[in-house]
Amino acid sequence: MTRTAAIIGGGVIGGGWAARFLLNGWNVIVSDPDPEAERKIGEVLDNARRSLPALSDVTVPQEGNLSFAGSLAKAVADADWIQESVPERIEIKHKVFAEIQANCRKDALIGSSTSGFKPSELQEGASRPEQIFVAHPFNPVYLLPLIELVGNAGTTARAKSVLEEIGMKPLIVRQEIDAHIADRFLEAVWREALWLIKDGVATTQEIDDAIRFGFGLRWAQMGLFETYRIAGGEAGMRHFIAQFGPCLSWPWTKLMDVPELTEELTGKIAEQSDAQSGRYSIRELERIRDDNLVSMMRALKARNWGAGALLKTHDERVKPALPTELDQPLNTLNRVIPIDWTDYNGHMNESRYGQVFSDAGDVVMRMVGADEAYIDGGLSYFTVENQITYREETHAGEAIFVRTQVLEAKGKKLRMYHDMCRTSDEALLATCNQLLIHVSLETRRSCEPGPEVSARLDALHAAQSKLPEPESLRES
């Protein structure tokens, strides 16, 4: 059964929430009095559709239905999850929560995107205070997985389960605290950056360069303490603290003293920021940001580390079942082409076609029982020949599917023919005639498959042999 999320407030954060839920198969209803809300959310969704599916190597859920409600009451009436993302003014939030609770289900989850208010502040005057909790995300919500959850233990436990299902990393904050956890770090860095600019030590670009070319790269994949544990060498964290701890008492920072945001300082920051990034529109910067995040997170995914490990787990959760209709061409792969698969010509690099067809062949291997357990037992298939033809260009963000037919499955040989097609119009993009040989991983030489695999291969080939030869193969 498809679930529904009501998004109250369709700004940058609300739009990101809408995209995260919608692209994970939820129906989404948006309530926002802004007459431009539909356009703004549509633009955020355009970016999300381009980037979020590219994090996945399996079929992504079918997109839910998006609608815009004429009133808040209509938006929340049947919602399973209600996400408040209105301006950070407590009187506005109290008014919104009162209207939500007057019209929503008693079992609905009501999260607030607030970056600073505590749940007890949000719950003041609420008819069901335990229903309201903090669900603080990070922009872009549709890509960055962290969500800080603060509130009633039972409510946040339910929320955690939902968020994990849509590929996020819920962090339950142990106790109420102003600005939760992550923003306290961000505010400390922000204060120090303001002083560096005010005192003429660094510009906005120099500060950003210090982060993105230095510790920001380390933090992105290891965080703070794991990074510094390595800095301690073989002696570990204790040695690091002994070596660098004394500097904490030195007067380096001004974290307890905040410069006044005068018109002069504000203007200085704005001018430097314009010089740094003014040549890009906001949407261009968003796409650059999204492409960089996708590439970094996919790199971590290949190493099964940090946010990448979370992506692998989510892929396993949503991975589709193996094809069961053996007397039809097999649908072996559905995916979106990620940005890091493209080359200097602006289209998919030829090496990635090999990966697509290899992944499609792996599906057939799993169908006949040549799965991870089989490989761990010392037997597998090796590709010995790929004949790939390129028909049309393939670009980043395009959804593709692979249609596979088994042409030969006798003894040690397994030959498959793959058509790679664009999902939107089924245009043929590439083909591959692939020959695999069964091998012993111990001797690294060809050998006969195990009896169970052989039996499944016979059944698959018997069904597939009744199909006509693929049209694209006849044309080649």
Side-chain angles (χ1 to χ4, degrees):
M1 180 178 177
T2 302
R3 288 173 289 180
T4 299
I7 308 301
I8 312 303
V12 172
I13 298 300
W17 273 111
R20 173 67 80 160
F21 277 110
L22 192 71
L23 297 185
N24 276 279
W26 285 54
N27 292 334
V28 172
I29 304 176
V30 178
S31 172
D32 192 313
D34 182 358
E36 294 290 305
E38 190 165 349
R39 175 189 63 80
K40 292 176 182 177
I41 286 185
E43 291 178 353
V44 172
L45 277 171
D46 286 342
N47 285 341
R49 291 186 180 111
R50 179 177 180 271
S51 56
L52 178 60
L55 290 173
S56 183
D57 292 318
V58 301
T59 305
V60 296
Q62 183 176 348
E63 187 173 311
N65 295 319
L66 174 66
S67 59
F68 291 80
S71 67
L72 186 151
K74 290 182 180 178
V76 305
D78 297 314
D80 300 280
W81 182 296
I82 302 162
Q83 188 66 28
E84 170 273 310
S85 300
V86 303
E88 288 285 84
R89 290 172 53 188
I90 195 65
E91 65 274 13
I92 294 177
K93 291 185 183 292
H94 283 162
K95 182 179 179 181
V96 167
F97 285 133
E99 188 172 356
I100 288 173
Q101 290 197 312
N103 293 280
C104 76
R105 295 180 353 218
K106 292 183 179 181
D107 65 339
L109 290 163
I110 306 176
S112 172
S113 299
T114 181
S115 58
F117 291 121
K118 300 188 288 288
S120 58
E121 295 171 317
L122 300 174
Q123 295 164 355
E124 289 176 3
S127 59
R128 297 182 296 276
E130 72 285 349
Q131 191 177 18
I132 299 169
F133 60 97
V134 169
H136 175 232
F138 295 83
N139 190 37
V141 184
Y142 54 80
L143 285 184
L144 294 184
L146 182 64
I147 299 289
E148 293 178 310
L149 295 178
V150 201
N152 174 273
T155 306
T156 56
R158 288 176 56 210
K160 179 176 183 289
S161 178
V162 171
L163 293 168
E164 287 175 340
E165 290 177 14
I166 60 173
M168 306 196 85
K169 176 67 174 179
L171 175 62
I172 295 182
V173 181
R174 295 172 182 272
Q175 56 185 277
E176 287 195 353
I177 183 172
D178 291 324
H180 322 312
I181 295 175
D183 272 4
R184 294 177 76 90
F185 292 118
L186 295 176
E187 288 170 9
V189 174
W190 174 246
R191 286 194 293 269
E192 193 66 23
L194 293 179
W195 279 114
L196 291 171
I197 295 170
K198 183 178 186 299
D199 293 344
V201 175
T203 66
T204 58
Q205 180 161 345
E206 289 164 351
I207 291 170
D208 284 350
D209 285 349
I211 295 171
R212 62 186 177 183
F213 293 110
F215 65 86
L217 290 171
R218 300 187 308 194
W219 282 12
Q221 53 90 40
M222 276 193 172
L224 179 67
F225 285 97
E226 197 165 48
T227 293
Y228 284 150
R229 179 179 180 85
I230 293 174
E234 294 182 359
M237 180 61 81
R238 188 175 298 277
H239 174 68
F240 170 79
I241 293 175
Q243 186 173 5
F244 295 99
C247 73
L248 296 177
S249 62
W250 298 346
W252 283 359
T253 67
K254 299 180 178 180
L255 293 184
M256 301 308 294
D257 187 12
V258 184
E260 182 182 354
L261 276 172
T262 62
E263 184 63 32
E264 179 184 4
L265 179 54
T266 300
K268 189 175 184 179
I269 294 170
E271 288 172 7
Q272 291 181 4
S273 179
D274 288 344
Q276 176 183 351
S277 308
R279 64 189 181 278
Y280 301 109
S281 72
I282 291 300
R283 298 307 173 211
E284 287 172 330
L285 285 173
E286 287 177 344
R287 287 190 288 272
I288 291 168
R289 173 203 65 192
D290 291 355
D291 288 348
N292 290 339
L293 284 171
V294 167
S295 296
M296 289 177 65
M297 292 165 72
R298 285 185 60 80
L300 292 170
K301 186 180 184 180
R303 308 304 305 162
N304 197 30
W305 198 262
L310 181 69
L311 291 175
K312 291 195 78 168
T313 300
H314 189 54
D315 272 3
E316 286 298 316
R317 183 183 293 116
V318 301
K319 184 165 64 177
L322 295 173
T324 56
E325 296 183 4
L326 304 187
D327 58 349
Q328 300 292 326
L330 308 171
N331 189 339
T332 49
L333 192 70
N334 290 270
R335 65 161 305 143
V336 169
I337 305 304
I339 187 66
D340 60 336
W341 280 21
T342 57
D343 60 19
Y344 48 81
N345 289 319
H347 58 207
M348 189 164 103
N349 183 272
E350 62 264 27
S351 66
R352 296 300 186 174
Y353 288 84
Q355 180 170 341
V356 165
F357 295 126
S358 176
D359 290 346
D362 285 348
V363 171
V364 176
M365 285 178 57
R366 293 198 300 274
M367 288 178 64
V368 299
D371 52 16
E372 290 183 9
Y374 187 76
I375 293 169
D376 288 342
L379 298 172
S380 187
Y381 279 92
F382 285 3
T383 300
V384 295
E385 183 180 36
N386 269 341
Q387 296 175 354
I388 298 176
T389 61
Y390 307 96
R391 299 297 188 94
E392 289 193 23
E393 290 184 283
T394 308
H395 300 99
E398 287 188 325
I400 60 100
F401 68 90
V402 176
R403 186 169 47 226
T404 299
Q405 281 187 228
V406 175
L407 302 182
E408 183 179 3
K410 186 176 181 181
K412 307 170 187 178
K413 290 184 178 182
L414 173 58
R415 184 180 294 278
M416 294 173 280
Y417 189 80
H418 310 283
D419 281 339
M420 174 180 144
C421 303
R422 188 186 297 117
T423 302
S424 61
D425 58 4
E426 298 194 7
L428 183 63
L429 302 173
T431 67
C432 178
N433 197 329
Q434 181 184 32
L435 175 63
L436 283 71
I437 297 295
H438 191 270
V439 298
S440 163
L441 295 177
E442 181 178 353
T443 65
R444 318 303 284 190
R445 295 183 179 278
S446 63
C447 67
E448 295 292 325
E452 185 174 343
V453 169
S454 292
R456 292 186 181 182
L457 271 174
D458 289 344
L460 177 59
H461 183 244
Q464 293 274 292
S465 63
K466 298 174 183 177
L467 297 172
E469 188 177 69
E471 184 177 344
S472 58
L473 178 58
R474 295 194 299 271
E475 295 172 353
S476 60

